[in-house]
């Protein structure tokens, strides 16, 4: 911000604004993670992990706002051109910003994918766009060094385009989370893991969704109808145990046991399902 004040670089101003929004988006994400650790209540029986998805939507909104600010400042600089001062400091700030933001982006994305948090991955991608804006600052500084003033606002507009592309991608992923969408390969992985458990004859009514960075799984497993209730219960627990070990993120399961080959075992409720 100090270098922006003395240099007048609109590209560096864009980078500063984007970094500021990136820092601020960490606040709702931190609050969401803190809420997610609270125990379920009689009103919120599923807990508070959904707060993480709400924070992800706020991050997408912040990305869009930063893009609009960059577009506004870049357009204004076309109308009111200004010669950039202290070019060396501007280029240096851009290099430092690019390296720092890329390191932060890699860390957030890696951790977000490890724990299944799309909101944290989105925040990491947000940090990666900060690295892009910082590289645009370097380009603007080099252009100014050669007396080409238009490079500065053009670099700002290019950055705005990259930010808007990121916003569209992040909005799609977060909207999918909010609508209980999930990656098909995860569903395949869940089904394969259940079928490998000894005693499971079939898997039906499989439901998988993200709840924050928690994976919630519901499924009906068919077992031998002649085994004792306790054995069927033990098989269900074996299924849960297998799923806990299958994924690195927190897993919540609901396993229903049904007799294999007994077509009339659900007749009492079948008409409600239709």
């Amino acid at each position: 911000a100090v270098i922006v004040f003395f240099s007048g670089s609109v590209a560096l101003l864009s980078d500063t604004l984007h970094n500021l929004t990136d820092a601020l988006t960490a606040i709702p994400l931190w609050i969401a993670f803190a809420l997610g650790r609270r125990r379920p209540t009689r009103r919120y029986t599923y807990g508070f992990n959904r707060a993480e998805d709400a924070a992800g939507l706020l991050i997408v909104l912040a990305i869009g706002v930063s893009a609009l600010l960059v577009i506004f400042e870049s357009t204004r600089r076309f109308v009111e051109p200004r010669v950039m001062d202290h070019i060396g400091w501007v280029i240096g700030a851009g290099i430092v910003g690019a390296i720092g933001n890329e390191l932060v982006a890699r860390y957030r994305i890696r951790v977000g994918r490890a724990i299944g948090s799309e909101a944290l991955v989105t925040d990491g991608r947000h940090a990666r766009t900060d690295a892009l804006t910082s590289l645009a600052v370097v380009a603007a500084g080099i252009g100014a060094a050669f007396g080409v003033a238009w490079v500065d606002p053009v670099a700002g507009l290019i950055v705005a385009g990259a930010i808007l592309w990121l916003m569209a991608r992040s909005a799609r992923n977060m909207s999918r989370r909010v609508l209980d969408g999930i990656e098909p390969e995860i569903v395949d992985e869940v089904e394969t893991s259940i079928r490998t458990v000894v005693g499971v004859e079939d898997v039906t009514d499989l439901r998988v969704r993200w709840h924050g960075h928690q994976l919630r799984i519901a499924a009906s497993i068919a077992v031998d109808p002649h085994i004792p209730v306790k054995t069927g219960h033990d098989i269900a627990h074996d299924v849960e145990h297998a799923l806990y070990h299958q994924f690195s993120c927190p897993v919540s399961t609901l396993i229903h046991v049904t007799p294999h080959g007994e077509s009339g075992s659900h007749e009492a409720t079948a008409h409600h399902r239709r």
Side-chain angles (χ1 to χ4, degrees), residues 20 58 90 104 107 120 124 134 136 163 181 184 192 204 227 234 271:
L20 178 61
L58 287 176
V90 172
V104 170
Y107 175 72
L120 190 55
S134 297
I163 297 173
T192 300
T204 57
I227 61 176
D234 291 341
H271 62 286

Side-chain angles (χ1 to χ4, degrees), residues 46-75:
Y46 282 100
F48 299 88
N49 290 298
R50 280 287 191 181
E52 193 176 317
D53 297 331
L57 293 176
L58 287 176
I59 292 170
V60 171
L61 179 62
I63 294 174
V65 170
S66 64
L68 292 176
L69 288 172
V70 171
I71 292 172
F72 174 77
E73 289 297 331
S74 299
T75 304

